[in-house]
Amino acid sequence: MTRIDAKFAELAAAGKKAFVAYVMAGDPDYDTSLELVKGLPAAGVDVIELGLPFTDPMADGPTIQLAGQRALEAGMTLQRTLDLAAEFRKGDDTTPIVLMGYYNPIYNRGVDTFLADAKAAGIDGLIVVDLPPEEDEELCIPAQAAGLNFIRLATPTTDDKRLPKVLQNTSGFVYYVSITGITGAAAAEAGDVGPEVARIKAATDLPVIVGFGIRTPESSRAIASVADGAVVGSAIVAQMGEGKPVGEVLDFVKSLADGAHSV
């Protein structure tokens, strides 16, 4: 059982929904990013999604693209991202960390080396948005063998024919993308999301967490009411991009977490 599995079992036993926060590793620099990540659990974050900076983040909107650029310009690398996770783990051995990014940096490092290093750094799961299920032998299956969850995205265009393929080797949770398009592009609507979550839950026992288009405590609450939890990324990353103090950003994160937990 991974930390992700344990966390969702704990939440289910308590009748609580999950709040997942995405932040870009190294944005705007290593030290500030580490301070933010260390503060997330106390702000109510159940699962941390740690963005791996990449030069060509095709699924991400301008907010997260700019965050990745800031991180890369500040010297962030795959190794320093793993270092950040390892540093976080010195003070927190229970909050799950999902590394979210693209396959190129992992491929360049070598899959076996990467998986061993990620496991040693305290990473619990992976979301690699440019590896479809047809490429499961490449990373998904080796990751699961190494004890890491491999979390897949389902979208509004994932029809009933495609869904079993998406779910077949997924573990940890299913990430439902509430809108078509890139991160930060539109607002998620609970009325649209609810039936889709129900459709996915009919096909899997995994928790279904909804992300993209959630920016306020109200929308966090509304989405959590129709799913197993909510993910917020761009709205948090935008505050870092505005140069707000970490404490102020964490207050905002807490308001979002409180929204999801109030259901």
Side-chain angles (χ1 to χ4, degrees):
M1 179 180 273
T2 66
R3 291 184 187 93
I4 296 169
D5 299 326
K7 175 58 71 174
F8 280 107
E10 174 195 321
L11 289 166
K16 288 181 67 177
K17 300 302 180 78
F19 181 70
V20 182
Y22 170 98
V23 296
M24 179 64 73
D27 174 36
D29 56 65
Y30 179 92
D31 290 338
T32 306
S33 176
L34 178 60
E35 181 187 353
L36 176 66
V37 173
K38 282 183 172 180
L40 291 174
V45 173
D46 298 302
V47 179
I48 296 169
E49 277 185 19
L50 192 59
L52 176 61
F54 182 54
T55 51
D56 188 24
M58 61 187 182
D60 294 311
T63 300
I64 290 177
Q65 284 191 26
L66 288 169
Q69 288 175 15
R70 289 191 297 269
L72 291 169
E73 286 164 8
M76 207 61 181
T77 60
L78 172 54
Q79 182 57 53
R80 281 178 65 77
T81 301
L82 296 177
D83 291 346
L84 189 150
E87 192 64 33
F88 171 84
R89 280 279 169 245
K90 291 178 182 178
D92 185 317
D93 196 41
T94 56
T95 304
I97 300 176
V98 176
L99 191 65
M100 184 170 185
Y102 298 82
Y103 185 46
N104 183 275
I106 296 168
Y107 176 80
N108 283 344
R109 193 180 190 93
V111 167
D112 292 343
T113 302
F114 165 76
L115 291 173
D117 292 347
K119 186 75 175 169
I123 300 296
D124 304 292
L126 304 173
I127 298 175
V128 183
V129 296
D130 54 347
L131 275 183
E134 286 74 15
E135 307 295 338
D136 274 357
E137 299 286 344
E138 194 82 23
L139 180 63
C140 171
I141 290 168
Q144 311 240 52
L148 295 169
N149 290 126
F150 199 88
I151 295 142
R152 190 84 68 194
L153 304 181
T155 74
T157 59
T158 306
D159 60 20
D160 289 340
K161 183 180 178 184
R162 179 67 174 167
L163 187 60
K165 188 76 173 173
V166 169
L167 295 174
Q168 70 179 2
N169 290 315
T170 298
S171 66
F173 61 91
V174 179
Y175 187 135
Y176 179 68
V177 177
S178 66
I179 56 172
T180 52
I182 53 176
T183 56
E189 297 292 341
D192 298 331
V193 169
E196 290 297 295
V197 170
R199 181 171 69 93
I200 296 166
K201 286 181 75 66
T204 180
D205 293 331
L206 293 171
V208 180
I209 309 302
V210 175
F212 285 48
I214 305 168
R215 300 192 189 92
T216 65
E218 294 75 22
S219 58
S220 178
R221 183 183 192 284
I223 293 299
S225 73
V226 298
D228 294 306
V231 186
V232 178
S234 294
I236 298 168
V237 171
Q239 297 220 340
M240 295 301 288
E242 291 166 15
K244 291 188 176 177
V246 168
E248 196 174 316
V249 178
L250 289 171
D251 287 343
F252 174 60
V253 172
K254 185 177 186 307
S255 74
L256 298 164
D258 288 348
H261 291 150
S262 69
V263 179

